[in-house]
Amino acid sequence: MKFTKNRFSVRTATAVAALLCAAQAAWALEPFKVQDIRVEGLQRVEAGTIFASMPLRVGDDYNDDKGAAAIRALFALGLFKDVRLEANGNVLVVVVEERPTIAGVDFVGTKEFDKEALQKAMRDVGLAEGRPFDKALADRAEQELKRQYINRSLYGAEIVTTVTPIERNRVNLTFSVTEGDAAKINDIRIVGNSAFSESTLKKQFDQDTGGWLSWYTKSDRYARSKLNADLETLRSYYLQRGYLDFRIDSTQVAISPDKQKISLVVNIHEGEKFVVSGVNLEGNYLDREDEFKSLVKIRAGQPYNADLVTETTKAFSDHFSKFGFAFA
């Protein structure tokens, strides 16, 4: 930010705003009673916006603390990239430099995402035609776009954001994307299994190393959300077969130097297998024990299955409700 000489050859105050909208006086002004407030530098912003936002009014006594508060308030609007306070006699002069407004947002080279959907997403975060341009916001949008490409296994995607100034203090914002090829799962390993073969366990996964339909299903594209879903499926597979102490100790995801191949390693602990030794009914069953016994899904001698226990509990609740016991 540049410091400028006082055009009125009188007392001058300048403020520097950090990204967090903090402001401090560069040259202190002597306290004075504000007889008038004048705003200079406005192009599109209404003067009323300035007056409504400043904590200073005509008739107030000006001091450095109030000046710093006024500058912070104006920067907080997000409409200005520079704000200065000057004094001409007892007139407080607010000199502002408006941020450029966005004339348009465009995307070049995007095939993986629909351009209209991307533009809508940008509008939702404030990067749209007619809005003040915020470089920090554009940088965050670029990083989020990069993250979305990574979620689709496009680890080599490169994004360049270009800001082109045009007339009337406006800018065109362009995101140029080189998507590259998607990284594909080259290998999946499951370590720690003994009760079931690795091939049997990998069949539970939606993600795989590819097949003749992978071009359509994209099953060989890695995504953290897909991996989490596959791990839950694996956990359910063991729990349904009596392995109550099953756990997933860790997962490792490794990508090749050329960002084209991904290897997954899942480390598991199976634990001991539990088998049901017997099933008993206790409590008040309305003298209909035989009816309730017929609803029991789990059997003695079978591996403990939490899903079957849940089904049995629900069947009992539904049967009780038939006799007026809605909250059994």
Side-chain angles (χ1 to χ4, degrees):
M1 186 178 299
K2 299 180 179 178
F3 297 109
T4 58
K5 294 183 178 179
N6 186 355
R7 290 169 293 169
F8 305 102
S9 298
V10 293
R11 300 166 296 175
T12 305
T14 302
V16 177
L19 292 177
L20 299 178
C21 298
Q24 63 181 25
W27 296 320
L29 287 173
E30 294 294 332
F32 66 97
K33 184 175 290 292
V34 179
Q35 294 183 352
D36 194 11
I37 299 175
R38 186 167 71 245
V39 182
E40 297 182 357
L42 292 178
Q43 298 181 40
R44 288 174 300 273
V45 180
E46 296 291 335
T49 302
I50 302 289
F51 297 134
S53 303
M54 287 179 54
L56 276 167
R57 299 289 185 269
V58 173
D60 289 349
D61 292 324
Y62 176 90
N63 57 45
D64 290 341
D65 290 340
K66 290 182 179 179
I71 291 174
R72 285 196 298 269
L74 294 180
F75 272 115
L77 295 173
L79 301 174
F80 309 109
K81 62 180 180 181
D82 193 13
V83 177
R84 300 196 310 275
L85 296 183
E86 300 176 350
N88 183 11
N90 287 333
V91 176
L92 181 65
V93 182
V94 183
V95 183
V96 297
E97 183 179 355
E98 294 183 2
R99 291 182 182 273
T101 57
I102 299 173
V105 179
D106 193 18
F107 296 87
V108 178
T110 52
K111 300 176 183 178
E112 190 71 16
F113 299 98
D114 180 69
K115 183 182 291 189
E116 291 184 0
L118 290 174
Q119 289 175 330
K120 180 182 183 303
M122 293 300 166
R123 285 197 298 272
D124 291 342
V125 299
L127 292 174
E129 181 179 352
R131 300 292 296 273
F133 172 68
D134 186 335
K135 186 179 184 303
L137 192 59
D139 291 341
R140 289 198 297 272
E142 178 182 316
Q143 292 304 313
E144 175 61 22
L145 184 57
K146 176 72 172 178
R147 190 177 69 85
Q148 293 300 323
Y149 273 106
I150 290 176
N151 287 342
R152 298 201 178 189
S153 293
L154 290 161
Y155 290 89
E158 297 181 357
I159 303 170
V160 177
T161 304
T162 304
V163 181
T164 306
I166 59 176
E167 73 282 354
R168 304 202 310 273
N169 195 26
R170 298 182 300 159
V171 296
N172 283 321
L173 184 60
T174 304
F175 295 92
S176 300
V177 181
T178 303
E179 294 184 336
D181 296 326
K184 297 181 179 180
I185 299 174
N186 184 58
D187 187 35
I188 299 177
R189 293 290 314 282
I190 299 177
V191 179
N193 59 299
S194 59
F196 307 100
S197 68
E198 187 177 27
S199 60
T200 297
L201 297 177
K202 288 197 293 187
K203 287 179 181 178
Q204 312 308 313
F205 286 18
D206 284 336
Q207 294 185 119
D208 54 39
T209 55
W212 69 279
L213 269 179
S214 296
W215 63 271
Y216 176 72
T217 63
K218 295 182 173 57
S219 62
D220 57 349
R221 286 198 186 186
Y222 168 77
R224 184 69 202 182
S225 58
K226 289 183 179 180
L227 177 60
N228 289 338
D230 285 341
L231 295 179
E232 284 303 313
T233 301
L234 182 63
R235 182 178 287 106
S236 296
Y237 184 84
Y238 270 94
L239 293 179
Q240 290 170 0
R241 288 158 178 78
Y243 291 87
L244 301 184
D245 294 331
F246 172 82
R247 67 176 185 266
I248 297 172
D249 288 332
S250 64
T251 58
Q252 287 91 41
V253 180
I255 186 169
S256 62
D258 62 0
K259 298 183 180 179
Q260 296 300 299
K261 297 178 181 179
I262 291 178
S263 297
L264 304 178
V265 179
V266 181
N267 296 282
I268 66 173
H269 169 77
E270 291 182 331
E272 184 181 353
K273 181 179 180 179
F274 291 83
V275 176
V276 178
S277 60
V279 179
N280 299 316
L281 300 186
E282 294 184 358
N284 180 11
Y285 286 91
L286 312 177
D287 296 325
R288 299 173 181 270
E289 281 81 0
D290 291 342
E291 293 180 23
F292 281 95
K293 283 182 180 179
S294 68
L295 301 176
V296 176
K297 305 294 184 181
I298 196 165
R299 299 286 184 266
Q302 293 181 344
Y304 179 84
N305 187 327
D307 290 346
L308 294 181
V309 173
T310 300
E311 289 180 23
T312 300
T313 303
K314 184 179 185 306
F316 277 19
S317 297
D318 292 343
H319 200 56
F320 271 112
S321 67
K322 294 177 182 179
F323 304 101
F325 297 92
F327 303 102

